[in-house]
Amino acid sequence: MPYNPETIVGEILGRRAVKGSDPSTSDYLCPFIKSRCSKRSTQITGKPYPICSLWLGKGPRTDPQKELIFVCPKRFYEVDFLAEVVKHCWIGDAPGNPTVVPEVKMAGFGNVDFVIADVGIDGEVQQFLSVELQAIDITGSVFPAYRALLSGEDLEKKPSYGFNWDNVYKRYITQLIRKGYFHHHWKSKIVAVIPEQVYDYIKKRAGFLRSTDVKSPDVNIIFMTYCLETDPENPQEYRPKLVTVEGTSHSSLQNAILYKEAPSREAFASQIKRSLSRSIRIADLLSK
């Protein structure tokens, strides 16, 4: 049964994805970084893969705020999210000389996408916030949908792909906990700029303490979330919208993930009984 690729791909180069889209006419210029799109796919040789967002779920795509999700971190760049970080998350008085430093790396720490530092006239760093930018990863591939859009055709069937929620939860949150711990000792904070849908998923998986008082000394990890909404000035397109600014501590987030409510002893004993058919004798193990 034919499948409309417009119900899979949300945006190409920041514009609504429609059949007949041709990103080559602009030489794949990304409007958010003012240069050629840097995304690549192993299924395309020598050309960018300029997909910005994808639709979640099934059925008609009528609510972008819930159903359209960032798959490229550069899509956040349409708004000045770093200015929003300073506005909502900066500790104490506004910085006198805010300076943005991209990709700060350090042995034993890893790297962060941005650091906003208040630099004094003597060149010394007085205060700073770190910022991590994260979109959602996918499993499988939506390349058949992208190819169908360019050719102006429907798909014969829906391609096999999914959203890698577990990767964000396990890898990204683990990194946030570790970096939040470091920022706690530095008397600073790290800000995670993520899609609202990803934050909803994290909250459902881990019941950690959250506070809207993100400037509190008890907060060292801040979640600043965005969704994509219909652009009121151009209803055929979408734009990022700030949704949530909430904070937590590295210890609260860590405890919520590590210390889940334990299943009952009886439930585990029942599982052992169901597995007895695969049991082996200890003597057999020692003889190997």
Side-chain angles (χ1 to χ4, degrees), residues 161-180:
Y161 73 97
F163 296 92
N164 202 347
W165 304 101
D166 279 349
N167 182 54
V168 172
Y169 182 77
K170 294 175 182 177
R171 178 185 58 80
Y172 185 64
I173 295 302
T174 299
Q175 292 176 4
L176 270 184
I177 291 170
R178 185 167 58 86
K179 292 173 182 178

Side-chain angles (χ1 to χ4, degrees), residues 110-216:
N111 69 287
V112 288
D113 294 321
F114 302 95
V115 171
I116 306 171
D118 192 9
V119 182
I121 57 175
D122 58 357
E124 294 297 317
V125 174
Q126 299 174 355
Q127 182 57 280
F128 63 89
L129 289 172
S130 297
V131 182
E132 289 271 39
L133 199 59
Q134 179 70 42
I136 187 73
D137 300 324
I138 67 168
T139 58
S141 176
V142 297
F143 177 74
Y146 174 69
R147 182 175 55 198
L149 285 167
L150 269 57
S151 63
E153 300 173 347
D154 280 339
L155 292 155
E156 292 184 3
K157 62 179 181 178
K158 185 179 179 180
S160 177
Y161 73 97
F163 296 92
N164 202 347
W165 304 101
D166 279 349
N167 182 54
V168 172
Y169 182 77
K170 294 175 182 177
R171 178 185 58 80
Y172 185 64
I173 295 302
T174 299
Q175 292 176 4
L176 270 184
I177 291 170
R178 185 167 58 86
K179 292 173 182 178
Y181 170 73
F182 294 144
H183 283 76
H184 164 71
H185 284 279
W186 299 336
K187 294 182 170 54
S188 184
K189 304 177 190 290
I190 184 167
V191 182
V193 178
I194 59 176
E196 174 71 6
Q197 300 98 323
V198 171
Y199 188 49
D200 283 343
Y201 179 82
I202 293 168
K203 289 187 294 182
K204 289 175 183 176
R205 287 283 302 269
F208 56 94
L209 296 175
R210 307 188 302 275
S211 173
T212 56
D213 182 13
V214 298
K215 299 185 181 183
S216 164

Side-chain angles (χ1 to χ4, degrees), residues 15-82:
R15 304 295 300 274
R16 183 190 292 259
V18 295
K19 295 176 193 174
S21 296
D22 185 2
S24 68
T25 58
S26 67
D27 194 27
Y28 301 92
L29 179 70
C30 173
F32 312 122
I33 60 174
K34 310 302 181 186
S35 61
R36 206 167 194 247
C37 174
S38 58
K39 286 187 68 177
R40 295 293 183 270
S41 168
T42 56
Q43 295 174 287
I44 306 175
T45 303
K47 296 179 182 179
Y49 186 44
I51 294 177
C52 306
S53 61
L54 295 176
W55 290 102
L56 296 167
K58 302 177 181 178
R61 305 335 196 189
T62 57
D63 189 353
Q65 294 191 41
K66 293 181 179 179
E67 299 172 340
L68 191 59
I69 190 167
F70 302 79
V71 293
C72 177
K74 299 297 191 296
R75 185 64 184 89
F76 290 96
Y77 284 40
E78 183 178 357
V79 292
D80 194 346
F81 63 89
L82 293 173

Side-chain angles (χ1 to χ4, degrees), residues 16 64-65 228-239:
R16 183 190 292 259
Q65 294 191 41
L228 286 160
E229 66 172 0
T230 300
D231 188 340
E233 297 179 2
N234 189 357
Q236 297 303 310
E237 306 297 345
Y238 309 105
R239 70 177 185 183

